[in-house]
Amino acid sequence: MLSLPSPTHQQSLRRWFSADRYVALPGLLSSTGLATLGAEARRLEAEGVRRDFRMPCMADSPRHMTTLGGHRIADASPAITGLYEDRQLRRLLSSLHGEAVVAVHDPVERHVLNVLHRPGDTHGAHTDDYPLALVLFLEAPPSPVGGGLLEFHPDRSDLDALDAPGTRRVHHRPGDGYLLRSDRTAHRVTPLTRPGLRRTVLNFAYTTPGRQGATTSSASLLYD
Ligand SMILES: O=C(O)CCC(=O)C(=O)O
Ligand SMILES: [Fe+2]
């Protein structure tokens, strides 16, 4: 499923992650992995729930997308739960983070599916409950003008930061991944700009030993 970076490359990726709280992992999914997970996501999307609301605990930032929570994914997709638990993947994440990385216990939040599929669909500003988000791209607009860009501020966790200087905007392609220090880094996904565009991701949440338990009610509102 995965095409892992070499140990030497991992060292430079680790420095990048430590400096920016973000590191791009282009082509992290092998072509087989992308095909397998893409088929799983298409199947699971039919069970997803359309969400259109503002998140009260995140400054009323908008959510417009179809989601499926981890508990539903666990029932339906051994391929996704198997990848979440993959030892080599966990080793990569521990190496990039520079300390041990462990699974999130909460079955809802540990792995989720987010599908942006209508013009204006967006995942508004927030921080996550757990320290690390590994996001895997199964579909994405072919160019940055289509939207669906990750925006984050590498130095700030307050949500106003995303309108301040220093905010980064990144485009990703199907098969790409990224790792984000997501509890301390304000982030959001920019709106899709026109009909026909789609952006589908799996978000795998990880934590550090001894740190379990959600800090906000946001996941229960988006994924229950
Ligand atoms: O879709 C993305 O790139 C970010 C997803 C995200 O922030 C989340 O699921 O918490
Ligand atoms: Fe997030």
Side-chain angles (χ1 to χ4, degrees), residues 151-180:
E151 279 189 330
F152 69 99
H153 198 295
D155 302 318
R156 287 170 57 178
S157 61
D158 63 297
L159 304 186
D160 292 339
L162 294 169
D163 296 312
T167 292
R168 312 264 180 92
R169 294 184 138 205
V170 208
H171 175 248
H172 301 86
R173 296 175 199 286
D176 289 353
Y178 70 77
L179 184 67
L180 184 70

Side-chain angles (χ1 to χ4, degrees), residues 114 123-124 126-129 133 135 178 180 182 185 187-188 203:
N114 298 336
H123 191 159
H126 65 284
T127 50
D128 291 358
D129 285 327
V135 173
Y178 70 77
L180 184 70
S182 53
T185 310
H187 59 285
R188 69 184 169 200
N203 185 355

Side-chain angles (χ1 to χ4, degrees), residues 68-148:
L68 191 66
H71 53 313
R72 305 282 305 281
I73 293 175
D75 289 341
S77 179
I80 293 174
T81 52
L83 183 60
Y84 180 82
E85 300 284 357
D86 185 90
R87 281 195 185 180
Q88 280 191 316
L89 177 58
R90 199 76 55 86
R91 268 202 293 276
L92 169 68
L93 299 177
S94 297
S95 147
L96 297 179
H97 187 41
E99 59 179 297
V101 165
V102 301
V104 161
H105 293 165
D106 177 358
V108 175
E109 207 164 350
R110 63 193 339 218
H111 39 48
V112 298
L113 179 71
N114 298 336
V115 186
L116 310 189
H117 54 102
R118 294 181 187 163
D121 272 8
T122 185
H123 191 159
H126 65 284
T127 50
D128 291 358
D129 285 327
Y130 295 97
L132 296 174
L134 174 70
V135 173
L136 301 171
F137 284 77
L138 307 178
E139 295 182 295
S143 108
V145 296

Side-chain angles (χ1 to χ4, degrees), residues 18 30 48 57 66 77 107 112 123 154-155 194 197 206:
S18 148
S30 66
C57 60
T66 291
S77 179
V112 298
H123 191 159
D155 302 318
R194 58 177 174 77
L197 294 174
Y206 293 94

